[in-house]
Amino acid sequence: MWYRRQGPVVTAQIAALGGMCFLLGGCHVIARHALLAVVRPPGAFAAATVPPTPDYGDARAWAALPESRDNADIAPPSALPEAQSAAPADCFFVHGTTWANRAGWNEPPGDRAADGYTDRDVLPGQAGAFNAACRVYAPRYRQANLYAFVDAGGSGAAALDLAYSDVE
């Protein structure tokens, strides 16, 4: 093997590197569990605490609409320029869950912090990729808390079902 021919110093370096990878993997697992503990909603999902349904007749219930000036109008630097007004098709864009607030299982409509994150950090790099070819519609929805993806008690599934019902 090549490392044996290099001598004991290289062998020790490889062993040290392997140990560091093992420790970093363990740190990753610990950090993941710590993050999840921080965002876990208190208590079980309860229909009585479900946030109100978004009113999609109101433009404020949309992160992006073709006729609105929004961050889905920002095209990535290497993309074609924004051309929604002449686009031949519609794109119904549902961004992935980003809500990590232990206040509840689903994001309430009008959560300024969550909406700001979606507008600033999600729309330009994701929905903006479609704006040269499509009219982009991106609903604000009652996102499930990130903890819903690892919950084994049924509350996570209920929160995901609620989020899905908004975009269905």
Side-chain angles (χ1 to χ4, degrees):
M1 299 187 147
W2 72 269
Y3 58 87
R4 286 192 186 150
R5 287 184 280 148
Q6 300 300 319
V9 172
V10 172
T11 303
Q13 289 172 338
I14 291 171
L17 181 61
M20 286 177 55
C21 289
F22 178 77
L23 288 174
L24 289 174
C27 290
H28 171 71
V29 170
I30 291 168
R32 179 175 173 259
H33 287 289
L35 171 65
L36 290 174
V38 169
V39 301
R40 183 177 187 205
F45 181 92
T49 62
V50 168
T53 305
D55 174 10
Y56 292 116
D58 184 345
R60 293 175 295 186
W62 295 87
L65 288 169
E67 63 274 4
S68 300
R69 296 297 307 157
D70 50 57
N71 283 359
D73 298 340
I74 300 171
S78 62
L80 296 171
E82 189 271 339
Q84 290 185 73
S85 61
D90 292 338
C91 172
F92 188 75
F93 180 82
V94 181
H95 67 84
T97 297
T98 58
W99 197 59
N101 186 323
R102 65 176 286 118
W105 284 98
N106 292 85
E107 173 195 348
D111 182 301
R112 293 177 62 143
D115 290 351
Y117 181 80
T118 298
D119 296 347
R120 181 185 62 251
D121 296 318
V122 176
L123 290 180
Q126 293 181 16
F130 299 101
N131 67 24
C134 304
R135 292 178 297 273
V136 179
Y137 295 85
R140 298 197 188 281
Y141 64 101
R142 296 173 290 181
Q143 299 178 59
N145 185 304
L146 286 175
Y147 190 82
F149 292 98
V150 298
D151 176 68
S155 290
L160 290 165
D161 288 346
L162 181 71
Y164 181 76
S165 73
D166 286 352
V167 298
E168 183 179 32

